Amino acid sequence: MSDSTATAHGHADEHSPFLRHHFESLEQQADATNFAMWLFLLTEVMFFGGLFTVYMIYRNWYYQAFVAASHQLSVTLGGVNSCVLITSSFTMALAVYFAEAKNKKALLTCLITTFTLGVLFLGIKGVEYREKFEKHHFPGTSYSMEAFTNPASDAVATAAGDKPLPVDVAQRTELFFSLYFAMTGLHLAHMLAGMGILLYMIFRAQSGAYTTGHVSYVEYFGFYWHFVDIVWILLFPLLYLINRH
Amino acid sequence: MSHISPVLWQFLIKWLTHFAVFPPEASRIAPQLDALYFFIVLVSLIGLTIVVLLVASFSILYHKNRHPVAVQIEGSTLLEATWTIIPLGLFLMMFVWGAIIYFRVFTPPPNAMNIYVVGKQWMWKAEHEGGQHEINTLHVPLGQPVQLTMISQDVFHSLSIPAFRIKREVIPGRYTTVWFEATQIGTFHLFCTQYCGTNHSQMIGDVIVLSPEDYKAWLASSTSGMSLAQDGERLFASLSCAACHNTRPDARGPSLAGVYNAKLTLANGQKITADDAYLRESILNPSQHITQGFAPIMPTYQGQISEEGVVALVEYIKHLDSDYRVQQTTTTTDMLPESGGKAAPADSTTAPGKVNP
Amino acid sequence: MSAATIVSLPDQATARIPKDNYLTRENGILSWLLTQDHKRIGILYLISMTFFFFIGGALAGMIRLELLTPQSDLMAADTYNKVFTMHGIIMIFFFLVPSVPGALGNFFLPMMIGAKDLALPKMNLASWYFYMAGGILALWAMITGGVDTGWTFTTPLSTHYVNTNVITTGLAIFITGFSSIFTGLNFIVTIHKMRAPGMTWFRLPLFIWANYAASILMVLGTPVLAIAIVLVALERAFGIGVFDPTKGGDPLLFQHLFWFYSHPAVYIMILPGMGVISEVVSTFSRKRVFGYTAVAFSSVAIAVFGFFVWAHHMFIMGVSSYAVLVFSLLTMLVAVPSAIKIFNWAFTLYKGSITFETPMIYAFGFMGLFTIGGMTGVFLGVSGTDIHLTETYFIVAHFHFVMVGGMLMAFLAGIHFWWPKMTGRMYPEKISQLAAVITFIGFNFTFFPQFILGTLGMPRRYASYPPEFQVLNVLSTAGATILGVGYLLPVLYLIWSLKYGKIAGDNPWQATGLEWQTQSPPLTENFAVMPIMDHEAYDYEWLERQTEARQKAKEVTSVG
């Protein structure tokens, strides 16, 4: 077999504790893992995309019911949550910056802030979900469409100026809530996974793992977190802002 | 030959007389489909022969012992073009031919008589217009186009009559249709071909093609006395549809006289044709199918009628061709024992007339 | 000796199994269960998928036994329904989809491109664990009551009308889906970023192109199946109504979501097999593949077109006639690249120097049977004929021809082709050739009668049938018995060869791939020195020069 080596990689690379031995150089490693992360996010796009497609189809078919059901969601809470997530994306981006700048204290602050904002998001989501349960808007045997057939009985519907819906249209609101819980639930699951990883990263950052110049983990987690944020930014108008005035 | 064991001989005879390799051609479309089928078989055979010949002859001609040194050939654009364009051309031809047949199978002629079929786990119920009801059997006349309007009561089924070369999924939630014209008298298999649960294999039946005279005789002997439309009329009355759907000037719903296949404008501006699917949908999901000029107050009957009931209602409405008939129904409502002596509407003065079968 | 002439049996009188190789580098069960070596992971996959294959095969045996008689008399109808459902699920998700990528792709992709491992070795191991977790969960679901929805999980049957382990099985498939996604992701990154110097895209072996195309499908398609399964589970558990017409849902929507993955899935299954055929046909005719570029682009074309034909599984389900037109047309287009490949392989034989080793026999079997399978796909893609043939045994015969006559034969071709490299041993030639022929004969007897049954109208998934279909069913079952023998033999003699097979040496077939230019079994790091690709793919003249150079230097053929 030929005897000349492939790429001339720097002396420093060979001894870098971060170079996995199946890669020829840190550059190749970074290139490959970066590509892999984007590809993974593409699979997530396909996953959420399927659900979004289902939502768009039913929203097109049952627009009237979906409008009325959407009015039951709190734009305030949803809007606050959007700000919370966007801010957490900002703090996450800052975390990557500080990791590159090898500023452990700032990195930790940013990571912890991101985590806290995540907790805040979950808390607000919990409040929203609780309200839905209490009003019997969770799909299933205890679902109630009272708020839609008789808006006068419901403060939110009255405030939105909803007209009473016929029974067969009102029945379709359950579909809206099914998709609402499925979509936000899936998003929630991704947030929980992200926060689990974030917790792990906080402990690792504490021991200086990310401030040595090797920032890949923080960077790639940043991608993931931004993706989860973007999904929410798409969810919010789709679910909360149908036909609001 | 009968020197072989009589038991074996018996089996042999049984198998040979029952052994078939091709289904009978018993409908007008069958030979047309078979022509395309055999064309594709021919092309496939030719294609396979070419491939086998190539592989076999090259393997022999260029076997290591005969041809020890291989010649490295990169390729040939001409050959690539040939075996791209010729298959593509053949496939496109088959596509067009097949599309024509497909449209023929699913576009019924205007004179097709309609039979409703409701599939449910695990039986087929056929409802003839004359009120004949069949289970797992379908009697049809020879030489008359027949349209099947089908729906499922539960899961996906699929109605298949191989001898007629037709098949159509029977799904819950909306009508699907297929038509055929039987060209051979006899009994043919009817299968459910979409897996539907435990007794999927038992959801089979017979299609019995009768000569026109025999068919008339069968119709007469199998009728329950009430046509499907009459069944529908009873339902119409018992569900009090006429309370809104009548010809009074202050009627809350549109009159249904002559509504079948009429062009309507809906409340949301959409223009539609009131076909079977529309009629069914407006009974089960009325609020999305409100005629312009009327309020969305019709209650939904989802869950209150079976698909067979809906079929009867649709059939009744299809035959409602005059206001007089609508009035008759209103009167019939009052005459039904179940209505418990409701007061007759003020303008109903005519005597009960004959009902169209 | 010229490398343009093949050495039928390894002329490896002096060959020894090298002491240091990936099998001997580490010992102990943990060194296998926690390995990050792509080769060991490939072996793990091979063993586990063989296990699942035989379970699926046993279920197939039960189906064929039941169908010996027209009555449903061997088992209860519910049991039969569970048997064919599990047969489909196990064979598709736990054998066919991971088969070549998991066992052969994992092992050889890095070696063929001159890399030390896949880009993400830990993800590779995780992928095997996801596969095992899903597989064990599926078996658990089977043992504790089974599933009887058919592998297609048609709604509303699967959501409202059965009380079997639908959610558990759906979860099992969901978990295994991750295995597929991770493998595909790994492959794509590795091929893009870790090729050896000089290994340009058009110098890649066609096996790589095929796996690349399949990986794109795995990565983009599997998530959609995942969401379809999630929705079915939610519908079953909470009655959310997405597929329930009484709640405004549309069961046809499930069909769209399901087939959007499941059609590309069949290309995920067949493309890697086609990659194997390219390698085998080239090696055993001593010739570069005819029309390399055409074959490479055909693989990608199949992957791309494969995403746009899903509704040809739904022609009679009530989709609009215009949709039928579009999807039928696209299906005709997707058939063409497969035809191109068959002709290119056939012409690879032209002016070659051909021998009939076992992998080549399987490859010939593939070409014939896949041609039949592919052409019968045209019957089904043409909308008119599909009406009569869909949902019958014609479909069953069609997909078994492409999957078993095609894919499984290609898999066996690959296993035999690369067995010497993976184990350092040759399998016994005569019995393996016999097994290949037995398989071919058994296969045709099993599945050809089913085309006739389908044309007659015999529906699929039937436990009982009209008596006039019996003769053909008996023929089919007889064939299945022969087929079973054909599949059992390789397991026996391959295991035998591990201890008693002839030593293979580096390159018993005198093949040109980079994986053949190193010891058998390979080192853990694959290459002692990073190879540089300075020649075209399938360059037998280069191989000849190598062999001459080596003989001149009188190097020992095995690395010590």
Side-chain angles (χ1 to χ4, degrees):
Chain A
M1 214 49 246
S2 117
D3 50 22
S4 56
T5 49
T7 49
H9 42 89
H11 200 65
D13 276 5
E14 270 188 27
H15 301 297
S16 166
F18 298 111
L19 179 65
R20 302 285 318 281
H21 282 139
H22 55 285
F23 287 114
E24 291 302 309
S25 69
L26 275 179
E27 191 196 334
Q28 187 190 46
Q29 177 174 307
D31 212 8
T33 48
N34 188 55
F35 184 40
M37 191 63 205
W38 282 104
L39 211 49
F40 172 69
L41 291 180
L42 184 59
T43 68
E44 292 277 35
V45 169
M46 294 304 290
F47 189 47
F48 275 99
L51 197 47
F52 274 61
T53 308
V54 172
Y55 173 78
M56 290 312 294
I57 292 174
Y58 285 129
R59 172 173 154 158
N60 189 35
W61 287 1
Y62 305 127
Y63 187 69
Q64 213 184 355
F66 272 43
V67 167
S70 164
H71 286 167
Q72 290 291 320
L73 300 176
S74 163
V75 174
T76 319
L77 289 179
V80 167
N81 254 352
S82 304
C83 294
V84 165
L85 263 192
I86 294 177
T87 312
S88 76
S89 260
F90 175 63
T91 53
M92 191 62 220
L94 275 182
V96 177
Y97 170 74
F98 284 128
E100 278 170 356
K102 302 195 184 171
N103 185 340
K104 187 167 112 175
K105 200 145 177 268
L107 165 67
L108 266 176
T109 313
C110 288
L111 286 179
I112 292 174
T113 314
T114 309
F115 184 84
T116 314
L117 288 170
V119 173
L120 184 56
F121 178 90
L122 293 181
I124 297 177
K125 206 92 211 89
V127 167
E128 282 187 282
Y129 276 8
R130 175 125 174 260
E131 196 218 343
K132 292 278 141 283
F133 271 94
E134 280 167 357
K135 289 178 90 170
H136 293 286
H137 285 158
F138 186 79
T141 39
S142 60
Y143 184 76
S144 154
M145 38 183 190
E146 185 66 30
F148 309 107
T149 47
N150 183 15
S153 69
D154 180 79
V156 176
T158 318
D162 280 344
K163 300 216 177 40
L165 293 177
V167 169
D168 55 316
V169 174
Q171 272 169 351
R172 305 290 171 253
T173 56
E174 189 177 359
L175 204 52
F176 172 85
F177 284 109
S178 299
L179 290 167
Y180 167 78
F181 279 105
M183 288 158 84
T184 57
L186 199 60
H187 178 259
L188 199 79
H190 283 80
M191 286 245 1
L192 285 172
M195 286 168 67
I197 299 174
L198 203 43
L199 213 54
Y200 170 74
M201 281 174 59
I202 290 172
F203 285 114
R204 295 279 291 143
Q206 180 78 292
S207 50
Y210 305 127
T211 34
T212 55
H214 185 72
V215 301
S216 305
Y217 289 117
V218 188
E219 197 184 351
Y220 298 153
F221 179 77
F223 291 164
Y224 176 78
W225 194 254
H226 296 319
F227 172 77
V228 173
D229 183 20
I230 290 176
V231 170
W232 176 261
I233 291 174
L234 289 172
L235 276 185
F236 176 61
L238 277 180
L239 291 171
Y240 288 74
L241 302 179
I242 315 180
N243 199 28
R244 293 267 184 178
H245 298 288
Chain B
M1 264 296 236
S2 40
H3 291 299
I4 57 178
S5 151
V7 173
L8 190 59
W9 182 243
Q10 237 178 12
F11 268 119
L12 217 55
I13 290 291
K14 184 178 97 159
W15 284 358
L16 283 174
T17 48
H18 282 157
F19 186 34
V21 280
F22 203 72
E25 283 181 350
S27 76
R28 192 154 297 286
I29 198 90
Q32 297 174 27
L33 191 127
D34 289 348
L36 174 57
Y37 177 85
F38 284 117
F39 176 71
I40 306 180
V41 169
L42 186 66
V43 171
S44 307
L45 276 176
I46 294 175
L48 182 65
T49 311
I50 293 176
V51 171
V52 170
L53 275 179
L54 283 175
V55 172
S57 57
F58 289 163
S59 309
I60 296 170
L61 283 172
Y62 302 110
H63 187 270
K64 177 193 83 171
N65 296 337
R66 274 168 106 120
H67 195 257
V69 180
V71 178
Q72 302 301 323
I73 304 174
E74 190 173 330
S76 154
T77 316
L78 177 64
L79 275 177
E80 297 290 349
T82 311
W83 59 55
T84 305
I85 293 175
I86 295 183
L88 182 63
L90 286 168
F91 295 159
L92 287 176
M93 188 177 147
M94 296 170 195
F95 157 71
V96 171
W97 191 345
I100 292 174
I101 293 188
Y102 183 90
F103 274 94
R104 281 192 195 149
V105 172
F106 292 116
T107 312
N111 64 336
M113 75 182 236
N114 196 35
I115 302 178
Y116 293 95
V117 175
V118 176
K120 67 188 278 296
Q121 286 174 325
W122 286 279
M123 63 175 86
W124 297 104
K125 297 196 200 175
E127 318 273 340
H128 293 252
E129 285 179 354
Q132 295 82 2
H133 303 272
E134 306 190 77
I135 293 191
N136 290 338
T137 324
L138 190 63
H139 283 83
V140 293
L142 181 74
Q144 156 74 37
V146 172
Q147 173 177 265
L148 300 178
T149 302
M150 309 182 283
I151 191 163
S152 165
Q153 190 85 49
D154 39 41
V155 299
F156 274 41
H157 301 277
S158 185
L159 187 131
S160 160
I161 307 173
F164 294 170
R165 310 289 188 274
I166 56 139
K167 188 183 287 121
R168 184 62 143 167
E169 208 81 356
V170 175
I171 58 182
R174 73 174 119 120
Y175 292 130
T176 53
T177 63
V178 72
W179 79 278
F180 57 83
E181 183 186 328
T183 52
Q184 227 185 73
I185 292 181
T187 304
F188 307 101
H189 286 300
L190 186 152
F191 295 121
C192 171
T193 55
Q194 178 62 252
Y195 175 64
C196 53
T198 308
N199 286 325
H200 170 59
S201 337
Q202 312 303 323
M203 197 162 159
I204 62 178
D206 291 315
V207 178
I208 301 175
V209 182
L210 301 169
S211 70
E213 304 77 42
D214 287 338
Y215 183 69
K216 278 204 190 63
W218 175 81
L219 281 177
S221 66
S222 321
T223 181
S224 54
M226 299 268 276
S227 71
L228 199 58
Q230 284 175 302
D231 281 340
E233 185 177 28
R234 295 189 71 118
L235 259 177
F236 194 86
S238 70
L239 291 168
S240 307
C241 308
C244 300
H245 290 287
N246 53 56
T247 53
R248 289 206 293 269
D250 61 340
R252 285 172 291 215
S255 164
L256 299 178
V259 77
Y260 183 60
N261 276 338
K263 300 249 185 298
L264 295 180
T265 309
L266 296 183
N268 58 12
Q270 215 185 343
K271 289 198 191 339
I272 51 98
T273 307
D275 55 9
D276 296 52
Y278 174 79
L279 291 178
R280 177 177 174 277
E281 279 292 304
S282 28
I283 296 170
L284 298 176
N285 294 307
S287 310
Q288 275 148 317
H289 305 275
I290 301 292
T291 313
Q292 206 166 57
F294 291 92
I297 53 169
M298 175 169 165
T300 171
Y301 288 86
Q302 180 95 49
Q304 294 178 47
I305 332 178
S306 69
E307 293 295 348
E308 289 134 274
V310 175
V311 149
L313 279 172
V314 168
E315 184 66 11
Y316 165 66
I317 295 169
K318 276 158 90 161
H319 288 85
L320 221 41
D321 53 7
S322 69
D323 295 339
Y324 177 76
R325 282 290 308 118
V326 180
Q327 281 182 1
Q328 291 308 302
T329 313
T330 313
T331 317
T332 318
T333 311
D334 303 328
M335 284 176 63
L336 280 177
E338 307 90 75
S339 63
K342 250 195 228 157
D347 59 348
S348 166
T349 50
T350 48
K354 269 222 170 341
V355 178
N356 288 333
Chain C
M1 166 210 308
S2 161
T5 66
I6 197 170
V7 181
S8 299
L9 286 171
D11 182 29
Q12 307 284 350
T14 55
R16 301 175 283 134
I17 302 267
K19 283 206 189 71
D20 179 27
N21 60 61
Y22 77 100
L23 292 166
T24 57
R25 178 70 62 86
E26 285 181 289
N27 284 314
I29 187 86
L30 279 181
S31 74
W32 278 91
L33 292 179
L34 295 177
T35 183
Q36 288 176 43
D37 179 6
H38 65 100
K39 299 181 289 300
R40 286 191 169 203
I41 294 174
I43 300 293
L44 287 175
Y45 262 110
L46 181 59
I47 298 172
S48 37
M49 69 177 58
T50 306
F51 168 70
F52 284 114
F53 174 75
F54 280 103
I55 296 182
L59 292 166
M62 286 169 69
I63 294 175
R64 286 302 342 149
L65 274 177
E66 169 69 85
L67 292 176
L68 269 177
T69 58
Q71 301 81 18
S72 169
D73 45 13
L74 187 66
M75 55 186 104
D78 272 331
T79 310
Y80 181 80
N81 295 339
K82 290 176 188 173
V83 168
F84 72 68
T85 301
M86 290 311 303
H87 167 73
I89 291 174
I90 291 179
M91 286 309 206
I92 291 174
F93 294 111
F94 300 104
F95 179 70
L96 283 169
V97 166
S99 59
V100 168
L104 298 171
N106 264 330
F107 202 110
F108 290 107
L109 192 148
M111 295 186 74
M112 284 173 145
I113 65 174
K116 291 203 183 115
D117 205 314
L118 288 176
L120 304 161
K122 288 189 194 145
M123 182 180 255
N124 199 11
L125 183 66
S127 144
W128 184 72
Y129 276 106
F130 274 111
Y131 168 74
M132 288 306 288
I136 290 172
L137 190 58
L139 288 181
W140 170 254
M142 184 168 96
I143 294 168
T144 57
V147 175
D148 61 350
T149 57
W151 82 275
T152 45
F153 289 102
T154 309
T155 57
L157 181 71
S158 59
T159 49
H160 293 94
Y161 288 90
V162 296
N163 53 6
T164 49
N165 294 332
V166 175
I167 296 186
T168 319
T169 312
L171 187 62
I173 297 173
F174 184 87
I175 293 172
T176 308
F178 280 108
S179 165
S180 203
I181 293 174
F182 288 161
T183 300
L185 204 152
N186 230 336
F187 282 9
I188 293 176
V189 176
T190 309
I191 295 171
H192 270 273
K193 300 293 180 187
M194 293 177 70
R195 283 169 282 128
M199 179 67 84
T200 60
W201 279 90
F202 290 100
R203 285 181 176 173
L204 287 169
L206 289 166
F207 180 76
I208 305 292
W209 276 98
N211 276 281
Y212 181 70
S215 299
I216 294 176
L217 293 172
M218 282 190 236
V219 160
L220 292 180
T222 317
V224 181
L225 177 74
I227 200 70
I229 292 175
V230 165
L231 288 173
V232 167
L234 288 178
E235 177 99 8
R236 248 185 107 76
F238 300 112
I240 59 175
V242 280
F243 302 131
D244 182 356
T246 58
K247 289 190 168 177
D250 188 2
L252 222 54
L253 183 59
F254 172 78
Q255 295 293 313
H256 282 288
L257 287 171
F258 179 81
W259 288 113
F260 186 82
Y261 164 76
S262 301
H263 187 80
V266 314
Y267 298 121
I268 291 175
M269 294 187 258
I270 197 69
L271 277 167
M274 289 175 156
V276 173
I277 300 299
S278 291
E279 301 300 316
V280 169
V281 171
S282 164
T283 303
F284 295 100
S285 8
R286 318 296 304 145
K287 262 194 71 188
R288 56 190 302 170
V289 175
F290 190 94
Y292 172 99
T293 320
V295 177
F297 281 140
S298 293
S299 297
V300 179
I302 291 174
V304 172
F305 280 126
F307 262 119
F308 297 112
V309 297
W310 77 88
H312 67 218
H313 299 267
M314 301 161 63
F315 279 161
I316 61 162
M317 283 195 186
V319 294
S320 83
S321 301
Y322 301 106
V324 169
L325 272 180
V326 167
F327 281 101
S328 179
L329 180 62
L330 288 165
T331 307
M332 297 297 107
L333 295 181
V334 83
V336 175
S338 298
I340 293 175
K341 287 193 176 201
I342 293 275
F343 285 117
N344 274 300
W345 290 322
F347 270 84
T348 305
L349 301 170
Y350 178 67
K351 293 208 170 160
S353 171
I354 300 167
T355 47
F356 298 128
E357 272 76 353
T358 307
M360 195 60 155
I361 297 182
Y362 278 116
F364 283 161
F366 176 98
M367 286 197 271
L369 297 176
F370 181 77
T371 303
I372 299 177
M375 282 309 302
T376 53
V378 175
F379 281 89
L380 300 166
V382 171
S383 48
T385 39
D386 185 66
I387 298 173
H388 178 59
L389 298 171
T390 193
E391 297 172 349
T392 65
Y393 258 83
F394 197 93
I395 300 250
V396 177
H398 159 71
F399 66 68
H400 282 94
F401 260 82
V402 282
M403 287 297 130
V404 181
M407 183 52 207
L408 182 51
M409 286 221 143
F411 177 72
L412 288 169
I415 294 292
H416 285 79
F417 182 59
W418 278 298
W419 190 259
K421 178 56 61 180
M422 291 194 283
T423 62
R425 301 267 183 179
M426 298 298 291
Y427 51 83
E429 186 64 26
K430 288 285 170 262
I431 189 172
S432 59
Q433 285 172 322
L434 180 67
V437 172
I438 291 177
T439 309
F440 183 80
I441 295 174
F443 175 85
N444 277 301
F445 271 114
T446 311
F447 293 106
F448 201 85
Q450 294 183 5
F451 281 127
I452 305 177
L453 280 170
T455 310
L456 282 170
M458 177 170 170
R460 52 187 293 209
R461 300 171 165 168
Y462 262 34
S464 63
Y465 51 81
E468 64 263 32
F469 296 158
Q470 184 174 21
V471 177
L472 290 166
N473 270 297
V474 170
L475 205 55
S476 180
T477 303
T481 322
I482 303 172
L483 194 59
V485 172
Y487 290 141
L488 212 47
L489 284 174
V491 177
L492 299 174
Y493 65 69
L494 286 176
I495 295 180
W496 176 92
S497 78
L498 288 174
K499 192 121 193 273
Y500 302 109
K502 285 189 171 61
I503 309 286
D506 292 3
N507 197 352
W509 311 126
Q510 290 297 294
T512 55
L514 285 181
E515 77 272 22
W516 295 105
Q517 314 313 322
T518 180
Q519 63 182 61
S520 309
L523 289 166
T524 300
E525 54 271 13
N526 297 341
F527 303 102
V529 156
M530 166 70 83
I532 291 185
M533 188 68 172
D534 53 8
H535 56 276
E536 297 306 307
Y538 313 110
D539 194 340
Y540 288 89
E541 276 140 17
W542 167 85
L543 184 65
E544 195 173 333
R545 291 196 295 276
Q546 289 289 102
T547 320
E548 279 166 11
R550 196 176 294 172
Q551 280 179 336
K552 278 206 188 88
K554 284 206 196 315
E555 282 170 16
V556 185
T557 49
S558 58
V559 177

